[in-house]
């Protein structure tokens, strides 16, 4: 059997060798970082070193609270922030929407960009908290965080940015809080962080992490996350992979059937997450057919790709349901190769012509 081609990095990216080595060292420092004895102090020192390394790698000058991942970080921020009304964009990840089920949902334009006029009106209540995804996990669209940040700051609000798909790949935006997830950039699954400008922005809940999170700290995970970030380089994907993706997009646009390369319709598309619709086949059928050919892609966010529901992201953008149901997501990562895209292109053309 030929080696499989993995193109679902937006769901999770393979563990970098640097992260694996760092985790092995962490497992050797087996004590609880909160214990007062010598073993515990040694583990604490390693944990705090990892915390500072992560902040330095991200260029973050505030505080960092380790969590089990992006979902917990989102819940912590939206539950504990000393802010008023919660406002979330309509294209947020399910973790954000479920953490703030009563939040006002802010509409987006058909190109995926947040409607800034609506935001300007909605954020006026005192100390509102606005949650926006930096890069959308289904379409790859990047929000204009400079403009959003100015609107929120001018209104005296608090800006929470979900950076799960951008941390380790692009510079963090100007915000009050940010969510990161290690396994999206080659770190281990099971650890992430909430970055916060000042602890005073949160209500403490007791426990570890300066009293803002319960549960023993995951030292091997923290060390793996630090090593993965330090190993990340810019650009996130090679020039060859970017070139091959552009060529694939050209095949889609030139195909005889009415296929859709979604990046053409976005306000600010990114290279490493692409969405494409093939009219003859449903998204689920395409995923299964490519899987049989040894290629791993998805229909969108991993937490919802197993459902038969239309993507709430594509629905919020007003995409024709007949197109939305046929969309698949292709996401590349730190170890993707040009040959991966060549193989995808070849199989996609065969599938689309079938």
């Amino acid at each position: 059997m030929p080696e499989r081609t993995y193109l679902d990095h937006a769901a999770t990216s393979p563990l970098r060798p640097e992260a694996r080595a760092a985790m092995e060292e962490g497992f050797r420092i087996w004590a609880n970082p909160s214990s007062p004895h010598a073993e515990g102090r040694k583990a604490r020192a390693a944990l705090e070193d990892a915390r500072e390394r992560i902040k330095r790698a991200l260029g973050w000058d505030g505080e960092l609270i380790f969590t089990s991942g992006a979902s917990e970080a989102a819940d912590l921020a939206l539950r504990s922030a000393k802010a008023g009304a919660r406002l979330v964009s309509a294209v947020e990840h399910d973790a954000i929407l479920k953490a703030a089920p009563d939040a006002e949902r802010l509409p987006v334009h058909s190109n995926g960009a947040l409607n800034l006029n609506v935001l300007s009106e909605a954020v006026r209540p005192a100390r509102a908290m606005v949650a926006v995804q930096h890069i959308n996990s289904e379409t790859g669209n990047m929000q204009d965080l400079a403009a959003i940040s100015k609107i929120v700051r001018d209104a005296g609000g608090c800006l929470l940015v979900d950076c799960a798909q951008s941390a380790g790949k692009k510079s963090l935006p100007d915000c009050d809080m940010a969510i990161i997830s290690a396994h999206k950039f080659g770190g281990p699954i099971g650890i992430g962080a909430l970055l916060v400008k000042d602890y005073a922005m949160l209500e403490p809940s007791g426990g570890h992490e300066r009293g803002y999170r319960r549960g023993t700290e995951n030292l091997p995970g923290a060390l793996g996350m630090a090593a993965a970030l330090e190993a990340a380089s810019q650009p996130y994907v090679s020039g060859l992979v970017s070139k091959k993706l552009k060529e694939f997009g050209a095949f889609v646009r030139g195909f005889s059937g009415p296929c859709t390369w979604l990046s053409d319709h976005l306000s600010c598309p990114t290279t490493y997450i692409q969405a494409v619709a093939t009219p003859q086949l449903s998204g689920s059928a395409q995923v299964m057919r490519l899987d049989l050919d040894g290629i791993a892609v998805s229909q969108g966010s991993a937490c919802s790709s197993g459902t038969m529901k239309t993507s709430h992201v594509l629905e919020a953008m007003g995409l024709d349901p007949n197109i939305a149901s046929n969309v698949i997501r292709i996401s590349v990562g730190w170890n993707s190769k040009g040959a991966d895209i060549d193989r995808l292109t070849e199989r996609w053309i065969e599938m689309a012509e079938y």
Side-chain angles (χ1 to χ4, degrees):
M1 292 291 290
E3 184 178 349
R4 288 183 59 83
T5 297
Y6 185 78
L7 296 172
D8 196 20
H9 287 257
T12 194
S13 207
L15 189 66
R16 292 179 185 265
E18 298 90 346
R20 184 185 301 274
M23 291 181 71
E24 289 173 352
E25 175 60 24
F27 287 125
R28 286 190 285 270
I29 310 173
W30 44 262
N32 188 323
S34 296
S35 297
H37 45 61
E39 290 83 357
R41 295 196 302 273
K42 182 178 180 180
R44 170 60 62 181
L47 182 73
E48 295 309 316
D49 180 63
R51 194 189 309 272
E52 293 305 313
R53 287 164 57 199
I54 292 167
K55 288 164 57 177
R56 186 163 55 249
L58 292 171
W60 182 257
D61 60 1
E63 308 295 347
L64 184 153
I65 301 169
F66 284 117
T67 65
S68 62
S71 295
E72 185 192 352
D75 184 72
L76 175 60
L78 289 161
R79 173 175 47 81
S80 303
K82 296 177 182 177
R86 269 55 169 170
L87 314 175
V88 303
S89 88
V91 293
E92 292 306 294
H93 191 279
D94 278 348
I96 295 287
L97 300 180
K98 290 177 180 177
D102 298 324
E104 179 180 349
R105 297 200 183 184
L106 304 173
V108 297
H109 298 291
S110 60
N111 61 6
L114 186 65
N115 187 318
L116 299 185
N117 291 329
V118 174
L119 171 64
S120 297
E121 291 296 323
V123 78
R124 287 182 180 179
R127 296 169 36 252
M129 184 180 200
V130 178
V132 180
Q133 197 173 43
H134 191 186
I135 294 175
N136 188 270
S137 59
E138 294 188 34
T139 66
N141 192 53
M142 184 165 63
Q143 295 290 349
D144 184 354
L145 265 301
I148 293 170
S149 178
K150 185 178 188 309
I151 291 171
V152 175
R153 294 279 171 76
D154 287 350
C158 173
L159 179 60
L160 167 67
V161 181
D162 178 0
C163 295
Q165 298 293 346
S166 60
K169 305 166 188 178
K170 294 183 178 294
S171 298
L172 294 183
D174 179 26
C175 58
D176 299 295
M177 301 184 196
I179 295 164
I180 66 172
S181 178
H183 73 102
K184 304 295 188 181
F185 50 75
I189 290 175
I191 188 157
L194 175 64
L195 309 179
V196 57
K197 284 292 185 184
D198 193 312
Y199 286 128
M201 303 178 78
L202 298 172
E203 291 283 358
S205 59
H208 300 284
E209 290 299 284
R210 275 70 168 177
Y212 291 92
R213 188 217 179 218
R214 298 182 184 277
T216 302
E217 294 95 338
N218 178 358
L219 176 58
L223 293 175
M225 178 159 66
L229 277 172
E230 290 170 343
S233 59
Q234 297 291 340
Y236 174 59
V237 296
S238 72
L240 178 59
V241 170
S242 297
K243 176 177 177 290
K244 294 290 186 179
L245 280 169
K246 288 180 182 178
E247 292 172 354
F248 177 47
F251 274 112
V252 173
R253 297 184 193 96
F255 192 70
S256 57
C259 299
T260 302
W261 186 248
L262 205 61
S263 284
D264 293 340
H265 306 280
L266 301 178
S267 62
C268 188
T270 52
T271 301
Y272 52 87
I273 300 176
Q274 299 285 349
V276 56
T278 307
Q280 296 93 329
L281 289 169
S282 68
S284 57
Q286 294 176 65
V287 169
M288 288 187 287
R289 189 165 296 187
L290 288 170
D291 186 41
L292 290 173
D293 285 334
I295 301 172
V297 298
S298 68
Q299 281 184 266
S301 176
C303 63
S304 58
S305 60
T307 71
M308 299 301 290
K309 296 187 299 181
T310 300
S311 160
H312 74 274
V313 171
L314 302 181
E315 189 173 41
M317 291 169 58
L319 194 66
D320 184 331
N322 294 320
I323 296 175
S325 62
N326 294 345
V327 170
I328 61 172
R329 179 185 69 183
I330 299 141
S331 50
V332 295
W334 65 271
N335 65 342
S336 296
K337 303 177 180 64
D340 296 335
I341 311 305
D342 287 339
R343 187 180 183 198
L344 169 69
T345 302
E346 178 184 343
R347 295 294 188 273
W348 183 87
I349 290 173
E350 292 175 356
M351 182 175 64
E353 288 178 341
Y354 181 74

